[in-house]
Amino acid sequence: MYIYFAIVSFIIGASLGSYRIPNKKSVVNPPSHCYNCNTRLKPLDLVPILSWTLLRGKCRYCGQKISPRYALVELLTGTLFVLVYIVYGPEKLVDEKSSMLVSLLVSLLVIITFIDLDHYIIPDELVIFGSVGAVIFNILGQGISIKDSLLGGLICGGGMLV
């Protein structure tokens, strides 16, 4: 049973290891496509890590090389989701929202890390999304207290202001 949850955690994490925000593109529309030949990718072309491996890092349609970074980010995110599962266990994955909060934070931080590495920016949309998510989880009684949230924001924000 535990291995099942670990596998599901990995698949969900690896599936969320994609980002298109700095290019001002939605994650949903337009659908995924090859940046070289513009061919819309089929579901078999979008299986995290596996598609890249089976296609030997090339586009199925035009043969253009695809950066290994895509598969590595998917692998990283999947692995981090498994670590969240290991720390919180299956009962917290199913019954409580705290592991969802940590998984959301992991996804957000992976996306922010690679966008920052590439573009030297942290998009406001991601900061707002994370902030709204934190407020929602706090309202639901998960995460840290409002007092600790405000204190952390004051210390971190004040430090950055100085």
Side-chain angles (χ1 to χ4, degrees):
M1 186 69 159
Y2 290 110
I3 191 75
Y4 169 76
F5 281 115
I7 292 169
V8 169
S9 296
F10 182 84
I11 291 169
I12 291 170
S15 298
L16 295 176
S18 175
Y19 66 93
R20 300 198 270 178
I21 292 168
N23 299 328
K24 301 292 184 205
K25 294 182 181 176
S26 165
V27 178
V28 183
N29 190 22
S32 295
H33 61 280
C34 172
Y35 290 109
N36 185 55
C37 67
N38 228 14
T39 303
R40 183 176 175 179
L41 301 178
K42 308 245 181 318
L44 284 176
D45 301 325
L46 298 172
V47 178
I49 305 162
L50 191 59
S51 292
W52 186 89
T53 304
L54 292 175
L55 294 170
R56 294 185 172 93
K58 295 181 182 174
C59 173
R60 175 188 313 271
Y61 308 100
C62 69
Q64 177 72 25
K65 186 172 169 48
I66 299 169
S67 171
R69 180 186 216 172
Y70 291 102
L72 292 173
V73 170
E74 293 166 350
L75 179 66
L76 171 67
T77 310
T79 302
L80 291 173
F81 269 53
V82 171
L83 292 174
V84 168
Y85 163 75
I86 289 169
V87 169
Y88 287 94
E91 61 278 351
K92 291 192 178 183
L93 273 173
V94 177
D95 296 336
E96 296 183 15
K97 294 170 182 66
S98 60
S99 64
M100 288 189 335
L101 174 62
V102 175
S103 296
L104 175 71
L105 181 61
V106 163
S107 296
L108 203 56
L109 291 175
V110 168
I111 292 168
I112 286 171
T113 297
F114 286 98
I115 290 173
D116 193 23
L117 283 171
D118 290 343
H119 303 278
Y120 301 108
I121 61 167
I122 298 175
D124 292 338
E125 297 93 337
L126 294 177
V127 174
I128 292 168
F129 179 76
S131 299
V132 169
V135 168
I136 290 170
F137 278 105
N138 275 325
I139 289 171
L140 295 173
Q142 304 297 318
I144 60 177
S145 70
I146 296 295
K147 177 184 159 199
D148 289 341
S149 292
L150 292 173
L151 184 60
L154 182 65
I155 291 169
C156 290
M160 293 300 288
L161 182 62
V162 169

